[in-house]
């Protein structure tokens, strides 16, 4: 999100240029611990651009409404979002002006904080029926942390603010605090704007620091006047076996409009975040972010949201230190070839699966972490060609994941596991009966058998 932000007086800020620097003084926005606050992010859309924002669903554009605003017009969209900022941001206050335009059945409009995935965040929601709610959202699970009776009318502007400081979550509407709760569901994440079966306008989005570990503008703000940083790739590759939870911070941003073709010589992304393909959902037939030629290696890349259908391997391929912040359709699909390697990295928020194995051969996944996923691996059970497929998992850490592997035993698939750590009730290996294209495979069992699902309990650490 490169470039210098734009500030307006009606945001109650003033700027003084000193050489090439900009000194910003921010007036209090109502939280007592923000007396020494600093603005690290500001967007008012005056230049007509949404550069630096990641769209996930809906129909968004910059329009005129007294001033330039960002508007979502598809009231039939189940979940329309725009994300900005850095996944490593922890303690901050995000504020925005929000104007509902229309509400459908079950609709609402919201401001998001600590968005660690496309469906996991804190939300301050304007709800029809004259209510404002502060919520903790994780997928379809919504916990109301506080609420207030407030006239919510279409065509009216509301100033919403969420303060996140450690486990303390506070909400304000039009400058008045109505909720303060203790909640530890989400420790860090980006900011966001959201409509659910509604249309709305958004303006004057800002992020201010205030106490604790503050966000730092490591990711440049929106409305760029200069291109994103071009930090060269590190001369020493990052470790491929980081400790659990050691997710990297991006060194920069790359907005992607068309699929990137990676030649056999490979691509080193220098740990930049690539985003912008697809709508962030699970819809089939989204374009991939990267297509790897046979023999290619993709390394040191962070896939942000949206990332479409992730990575496609057209032949043998290697993925080293590749991270998926928010899996959309799939993280990676192995389509051709016979030998594939995923070494290091991690994936979050895959409601279905992370890795899809459509071709034949063996996929090795090692030194990898997965969080909040359906399956880490699935051997295709109804592709047009029925191959025998194999997966080897070594040094895997899984949290909030339903299963590690799904294989088709009637085709001779195998899954081998060693040094596996799972948190919760993760199934290690699920067995299916593969079927022709057009039918749905049937689950026929799970667990070690020494033939298809190969592991001992000593290979698994459960926590």
């Amino acid at each position: 999100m490169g470039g210098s932000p734009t500030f307006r007086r009606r945001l109650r800020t003033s700027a003084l240029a000193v050489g090439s620097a900009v000194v910003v003084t921010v007036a209090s926005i109502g939280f007592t611990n923000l007396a020494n606050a600093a603005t690290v992010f500001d967007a008012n859309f005056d230049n007509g651009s949404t550069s630096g924002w990641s769209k996930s669903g809906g129909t968004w554009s910059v329009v005129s409404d007294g001033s330039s605003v960002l508007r979502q017009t598809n009231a039939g969209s189940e979940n329309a979002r725009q994300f900005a900022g850095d996944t490593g941001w922890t303690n901050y206050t995000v504020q925005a002006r929000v104007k509902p335009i229309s509400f459908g059945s079950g609709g609402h409009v919201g401001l998001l904080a600590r968005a660690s995935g496309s469906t996991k965040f804190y939300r301050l929601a304007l709800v029809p029926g004259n209510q404002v709610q502060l919520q903790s959202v994780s997928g379809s699970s919504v916990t109301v942390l506080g609420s207030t009776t407030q006239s919510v009318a279409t065509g009216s502007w509301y100033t919403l603010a969420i303060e996140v400081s450690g486990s303390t979550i506070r909400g304000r509407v039009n400058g008045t605090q109505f909720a303060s709760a203790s909640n530890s569901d989400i420790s860090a994440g980006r900011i966001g704007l959201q409509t659910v079966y509604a249309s709305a306008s958004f303006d004057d989005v800002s992020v201010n620091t205030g106490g604790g570990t503050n966000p730092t503008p490591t990711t440049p703000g929106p409305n760029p006047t200069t291109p994103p940083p071009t930090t060269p790739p590190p001369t020493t590759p990052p470790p491929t076996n980081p400790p659990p939870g050691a997710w990297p911070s991006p060194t920069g941003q790359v907005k992607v409009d068309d699929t990137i073709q990676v030649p056999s010589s490979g691509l080193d992304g220098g740990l930049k975040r690539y985003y912008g393909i697809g709508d962030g959902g699970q819809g089939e037939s989204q374009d991939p972010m990267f297509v790897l030629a046979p023999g290619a290696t993709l390394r040191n890349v962070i896939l942000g949201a949206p990332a479409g259908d992730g990575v496609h391997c057209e032949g043998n391929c290697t993925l080293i230190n590749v991270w998926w912040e928010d899996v959309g359709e799939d993280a990676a699909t192995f389509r051709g070839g016979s030998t594939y390697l995923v070494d290091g990295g991690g994936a979050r928020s895959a409601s279905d699966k992370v890795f899809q194995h459509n071709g034949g051969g063996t996929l090795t996944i090692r030194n990898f972490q997965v969080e909040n996923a359906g399956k880490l691996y699935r051997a295709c059970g109804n592709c047009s060609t029925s191959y025998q497929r194999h997966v080897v998992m070594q040094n895997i850490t899984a949290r909030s994941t339903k299963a590690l592997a799904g294989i088709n035993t009637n085709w001779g698939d195998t899954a081998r596991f060693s040094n596996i750590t799972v948190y919760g009730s993760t199934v290690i290996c699920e067995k299916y009966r593969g079927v022709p294209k057009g039918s749905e495979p049937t689950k026929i069992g799970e667990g070690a058998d020494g033939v298809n699902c190969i592991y001992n309990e000593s290979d698994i650490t459960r926590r």
Side-chain angles (χ1 to χ4, degrees):
M1 297 181 301
S4 302
T6 301
F7 300 95
R8 290 197 298 212
R9 289 182 180 176
R10 60 191 179 90
L11 269 174
R12 291 174 288 167
T13 64
S14 61
L16 174 64
V18 182
S20 60
V22 176
V23 179
V24 180
T25 303
V26 183
S28 169
I29 61 170
F31 294 117
T32 56
N33 67 342
L34 292 181
N36 297 315
T39 299
V40 296
F41 183 100
D42 182 87
N44 54 39
F45 311 106
D46 276 353
N47 68 355
S49 173
T50 58
S51 179
W53 291 86
S54 301
K55 180 179 81 72
S56 179
T59 303
W60 298 82
S61 61
V62 177
V63 301
S64 178
D65 187 357
S67 63
S68 294
V69 302
L70 180 59
R71 179 171 293 172
Q72 200 292 112
T73 56
N74 183 2
S77 177
E78 179 182 5
N79 199 355
R81 293 143 297 174
Q82 289 273 5
F83 295 105
D86 196 293
T87 56
W89 281 1
T90 54
N91 299 334
Y92 58 87
T93 296
V94 55
Q95 177 173 293
R97 295 197 312 131
V98 180
K99 182 170 80 171
I101 298 172
S102 67
F103 289 110
S105 176
H108 58 262
V109 176
L111 175 68
L112 313 180
R114 283 188 185 167
S116 62
S118 63
T119 59
K120 190 174 179 67
F121 38 71
Y122 292 113
R123 176 170 65 199
L124 187 54
L126 297 171
V127 182
N130 299 327
Q131 194 173 53
V132 182
Q133 294 184 351
L134 181 64
Q135 306 166 339
S136 175
V137 179
S138 180
S140 60
S141 176
V142 178
T143 302
V144 178
L145 305 178
S147 64
T148 186
T149 300
Q150 164 79 43
S151 175
V152 176
T154 57
S156 297
W157 284 100
Y158 300 86
T159 299
L160 306 183
I162 306 173
E163 180 190 3
V164 286
S165 180
S167 61
T168 300
I169 317 300
R170 297 187 176 98
R172 285 188 176 258
V173 58
N174 294 336
T176 301
Q177 180 176 302
F178 71 90
S180 179
S182 179
N183 185 277
S184 301
D185 289 348
I186 314 167
S187 60
R190 297 182 291 169
I191 64 169
L193 314 172
Q194 183 188 39
T195 66
V196 175
Y197 294 123
S199 58
S201 294
F202 301 86
D203 198 10
D204 295 346
V205 185
S206 64
V207 177
N208 297 297
T209 63
T213 303
N214 299 320
T216 55
T218 54
T219 303
N223 300 334
T225 57
T226 58
T230 55
T231 304
T235 54
T236 302
T240 60
N241 185 17
W247 283 69
S249 296
T251 60
Q253 295 247 120
V254 179
K255 176 68 167 62
V256 179
D257 296 314
D258 297 301
T259 298
I260 298 173
Q261 303 292 330
V262 179
S264 57
S265 57
L267 170 67
D268 189 326
L271 275 181
K272 294 185 178 68
R273 176 190 288 128
Y274 291 74
Y275 71 98
I277 292 284
D279 62 8
Q282 289 290 321
E284 297 292 333
S285 302
Q286 295 186 64
D287 291 334
M289 178 76 73
F290 297 97
V291 172
L292 275 59
T297 295
L298 179 68
R299 69 174 71 227
N300 301 326
V301 165
I302 300 172
L303 281 80
D309 200 27
V311 178
H312 283 187
C313 284
E314 299 301 306
N316 294 348
C317 69
T318 301
L319 308 181
I320 298 178
N321 202 38
V322 177
W323 302 82
W324 290 263
E325 293 179 337
D326 188 349
V327 175
E329 188 175 347
D330 294 316
T333 304
F334 303 91
R335 296 157 54 90
S338 60
T339 305
Y340 324 92
L341 172 64
V342 175
D343 191 356
R348 287 173 169 157
S349 301
S351 59
D352 187 10
K353 57 194 174 301
V354 176
F355 297 127
Q356 172 77 17
H357 192 172
N358 289 352
T362 300
L363 168 62
T364 299
I365 309 167
R366 67 191 186 200
N367 308 324
F368 195 83
Q369 51 187 296
V370 57
E371 301 176 18
N372 191 26
K375 290 182 180 66
L376 175 56
Y377 167 90
R378 180 67 169 102
C380 184
N382 58 358
C383 284
S384 55
T385 302
S386 302
Y387 296 101
Q388 184 180 92
R389 304 177 178 95
H390 309 282
V391 62
V392 177
M393 296 192 189
Q394 304 167 338
N395 193 26
I396 305 297
T397 300
R399 293 177 170 84
S400 301
T401 298
K402 295 177 182 178
L404 290 186
I407 61 173
N408 310 295
T409 57
N410 59 317
W411 294 337
D413 294 355
T414 64
R416 298 174 181 269
F417 306 85
S418 62
N419 195 18
I420 307 296
T421 301
V422 297
Y423 291 76
S425 56
T426 300
V427 175
I428 303 302
C429 187
E430 293 184 337
K431 306 169 194 179
Y432 291 83
R433 179 176 290 108
V435 294
K437 186 176 178 64
S439 302
E440 284 299 319
T442 303
K443 183 178 175 180
I444 57 176
E446 61 185 47
D449 57 19
V451 178
N452 301 103
C453 295
I454 305 168
Y455 62 94
N456 297 314
E457 277 307 310
S458 61
D459 295 313
I460 314 299
T461 299
R462 298 184 182 275
R463 295 180 175 171

